[in-house]
Amino acid sequence: MEIEFIPVGGYGEVGKNMSLLRVGDEAVILDMGLYIPKVVSFDEEGGHKKYVSVNQLIDYGIIPDHRVIEKYKHMVKAIVPSHCHLDHALAVPYLASHYKAPIISNPMTIEIIKTALRDDDIKIPNELKKLNNNSSIKISKNIEIELINITHSALQTAIVAIHTPKGTVLYANDFKLDSTPVLGQKPNYKRLKQIGNGNVLAVIVDSIYSKSATKTPSEKVARQMLKDVMLGTENSQNGIIATTFASHIERIKSIVDFSLKLNRKPIFLGRSMMKYIEASEKCGLTKLSSHADIVGYGNMIKKRLKKFKSQKRDKYTIICTGGQGEPKAVLTKMLNQTLPFKFEKEDNVLFSNQTIPVDINIENRAKVEERLKQKKVRIFKDLHVSGHVSREDMRDFIKMTKPRAVIPCQGDSSMFKSFETLAEEMNYKPGKDCFNLRNGDKVMLYEN
Ligand SMILES: [Zn+2]
């Protein structure tokens, strides 16, 4: 039996993650994601993904070029997104119907995919199958899929274990090792160690922070930063506007908790916030809407913002997107008066995120900050910790799982190079059992 790994998207770039693992004459697709900076520029140019062909989306760089796995198409038994982030799950509406296979993922991810399909009125024939983390399903003669619970900046993130008769492959794309998450379960270290009994053929590892010589701090640290700012600065007369990633429910929970401590009602503004909160509530992970107002759509947002004029500013906290300076985000619209909100001197704007380091985001974010400074608001930046493993976490993960081979994923060539030096420190050899791959390459993990 041959076991072959083929990277499709996210190798040599950060985004549009997708890979294929072939096990004999069967195969499984891991992740099917979007390339977010391209989505942003496409939207800004007035494009609509629904009205262009799949090949055009590929050529524009929005979705992975899955033509490199065309000859394996008939082998695919399942499509398994590892978590609900756009760059891992939301190319499903455009690519999944090409394969006669169910989409299998945890409830949160399936809910987000359903919402995306509904929003864009796209129908796909694939069955959407929920599988809880820390459980498994046999999808074909030779493949069993197990979702192992892990921590990340999205709830219910999984490391996907692909069990075959010749050993296990672990797909660990986007994760951190956080033993004290604010919400959700801890990493299932026990199961990872159990699997790491010498039978792991390969691990595919999130390498975006392979240069960062540390252990990524727990989400608890970001919570403490928010606490210091929200409860420890003078803001009793002023507005608080907090931005974070819509999908970061753990972070959102901290902002809500401290708002309530200040006797301020949390008001969520924007469609993406609403989507992720609704999905998390449907999955029984949060009850945010019982303490907060959630206003998703344009006209309703305008109405709600007008109502603020008659309310004292210490009665509410606005929570919205805009940390990347995106022109269509609520914060930007409030600043350019597309939405009726008046920033006042010494209002507090909290950025509970980090700017994703691509040019368009850096420029957009700088513009937003400049405008905020003109309005003399107080800016609190970088109230954030990453959702990705750092170099020393990677080392622990590899030690824990004892794979015969390691493959970096989700990174550019310098990130992969840095991962390679870590692997060499751990006695892996480039080209022999550490594979620095690019989209469309192939590597045989087992043959006889
Ligand atoms: Zn992610």
Side-chain angles (χ1 to χ4, degrees):
M1 177 181 278
E2 288 180 343
I3 299 180
E4 187 181 30
F5 181 75
I6 302 156
V8 182
Y11 296 79
E13 61 191 352
V14 177
K16 59 176 160 72
N17 295 282
M18 182 168 169
S19 305
L20 179 135
L21 186 77
R22 178 174 71 82
V23 180
D25 57 2
E26 301 167 349
V28 56
I29 288 176
L30 302 153
D31 279 343
M32 206 175 245
L34 298 170
Y35 189 72
I36 297 164
K38 290 283 183 193
V39 174
V40 172
S41 55
F42 185 72
D43 285 352
E44 268 178 47
E45 287 162 23
H48 198 301
K49 295 190 283 302
K50 196 185 154 183
Y51 299 120
V52 295
S53 70
V54 167
N55 281 351
Q56 279 171 307
L57 289 174
I58 291 172
D59 292 340
Y60 202 91
I62 289 180
I63 57 176
D65 187 354
H66 72 154
R67 292 172 295 202
V68 299
I69 52 166
E70 185 60 23
K71 72 170 187 177
Y72 305 89
K73 181 184 165 182
H74 63 286
M75 300 181 185
V76 175
K77 302 295 178 196
I79 298 163
V80 187
S82 56
H83 63 292
C84 63
H85 277 154
L86 280 68
D87 53 341
H88 293 258
L90 285 194
V92 163
Y94 312 101
L95 292 180
S97 58
H98 193 68
Y99 304 92
K100 270 195 193 139
I103 293 141
I104 301 174
S105 194
N106 49 61
M108 185 74 189
T109 308
I110 295 291
E111 285 301 331
I112 289 296
I113 292 172
K114 278 186 184 168
T115 310
L117 290 167
R118 215 170 28 237
D119 276 3
D120 279 345
D121 196 21
I122 296 173
K123 293 196 172 42
I124 55 171
N126 316 63
E127 185 190 355
L128 290 160
K129 242 185 191 166
K130 287 182 182 173
L131 178 68
N132 287 322
N133 283 0
N134 297 330
S135 56
S136 55
I137 185 172
K138 196 160 166 55
I139 58 162
S140 64
K141 196 166 79 246
N142 290 314
I143 305 176
E144 184 178 331
I145 296 292
E146 179 179 358
L147 301 181
I148 301 167
N149 193 73
I150 201 78
T151 41
H152 179 44
S153 47
L155 292 178
Q156 291 193 339
T157 296
I159 288 178
V160 184
I162 305 101
H163 300 294
T164 79
K166 302 298 176 193
T168 297
V169 173
L170 290 173
Y171 180 76
N173 195 346
D174 272 18
F175 74 110
K176 72 190 275 188
L177 299 177
D178 185 348
S179 297
T180 54
V182 169
L183 195 64
Q185 297 177 56
K186 288 181 193 176
N188 192 345
Y189 295 119
K190 193 175 153 209
R191 182 63 182 140
L192 287 171
K193 285 176 189 161
Q194 215 171 43
I195 292 175
N197 57 3
N199 207 22
V200 175
L201 296 174
V203 291
I204 294 111
V205 186
D206 174 356
S207 71
I208 190 167
Y209 290 124
S210 54
K211 291 178 209 168
S212 174
T214 187
K215 170 175 175 57
T216 303
S218 165
E219 179 59 23
K220 271 228 164 124
V221 174
R223 185 176 170 88
Q224 185 62 40
M225 289 179 193
L226 282 163
K227 188 177 179 184
D228 280 349
V229 168
M230 291 179 75
L231 305 187
T233 61
E234 178 45 56
N235 55 30
S236 58
Q237 305 296 315
N238 308 95
I240 299 181
I241 299 102
T243 73
T244 188
F245 299 105
S247 55
H248 206 327
I249 301 290
E250 269 188 283
R251 189 68 54 79
I252 288 172
K253 185 188 182 311
S254 294
I255 299 170
V256 167
D257 289 348
F258 300 129
S259 293
L260 295 173
K261 277 240 159 71
L262 291 166
N263 287 320
R264 291 176 181 249
K265 182 156 196 161
I267 317 278
F268 290 99
L269 300 180
R271 209 159 57 99
S272 49
M273 285 270 171
M274 186 173 80
K275 263 192 239 178
Y276 279 96
I277 291 171
E278 280 182 356
S280 71
E281 296 203 341
K282 239 181 200 168
C283 300
L285 301 169
T286 61
K287 285 185 182 155
L288 295 170
S289 62
S290 57
H291 315 288
D293 281 356
I294 302 169
V295 192
Y297 295 96
N299 280 338
M300 301 297 284
I301 295 176
K302 278 185 188 162
K303 246 191 203 164
R304 191 67 180 84
L305 285 171
K306 277 179 189 155
K307 208 170 131 191
F308 286 147
K309 286 181 189 159
S310 58
Q311 273 181 308
K312 283 181 77 177
R313 288 175 101 72
D314 62 351
K315 292 288 176 256
Y316 55 86
T317 302
I318 293 177
I319 308 167
C320 60
T321 55
Q324 307 299 321
E326 312 92 311
K328 287 188 175 173
V330 169
L331 180 68
T332 319
K333 286 182 177 170
M334 279 161 54
L335 267 171
N336 64 22
Q337 288 299 295
T338 315
L339 288 171
F341 183 82
K342 195 170 172 294
F343 285 90
E344 288 179 4
K345 191 180 168 194
E346 295 194 0
D347 274 347
N348 301 273
V349 175
L350 279 46
F351 287 101
S352 189
N353 68 340
Q354 163 218 47
T355 312
I356 298 164
V358 286
D359 291 347
I360 184 167
N361 293 15
I362 295 166
E363 275 168 38
N364 284 340
R365 169 67 184 264
K367 275 187 219 160
V368 163
E369 279 188 39
E370 193 45 49
R371 276 188 173 148
L372 288 170
K373 280 177 196 156
Q374 283 163 9
K375 296 191 185 292
K376 300 191 169 52
V377 305
R378 299 176 82 183
I379 297 174
F380 297 88
K381 295 205 304 197
D382 303 326
L383 307 173
H384 180 70
V385 299
S386 169
H388 298 268
V389 275
S390 299
R391 190 176 179 87
E392 291 311 314
D393 297 297
M394 294 172 197
R395 192 192 305 272
D396 283 349
F397 177 68
I398 293 168
K399 268 188 178 170
M400 211 181 292
T401 52
K402 302 185 188 72
R404 287 183 223 163
V406 293
I407 302 173
C409 63
Q410 170 124 287
D412 62 23
S413 51
S414 71
M415 295 161 186
F416 281 5
K417 195 76 212 151
S418 178
F419 179 91
E420 211 172 70
T421 62
L422 169 70
E424 282 184 281
E425 282 170 29
M426 300 183 78
N427 296 324
Y428 291 91
K429 302 231 166 357
K432 185 171 167 271
D433 48 16
C434 170
F435 302 104
N436 186 337
L437 305 174
R438 293 296 175 275
N439 301 331
D441 284 353
K442 284 171 193 165
V443 60
M444 203 61 84
L445 300 176
Y446 185 92
E447 67 189 310
N448 87 0

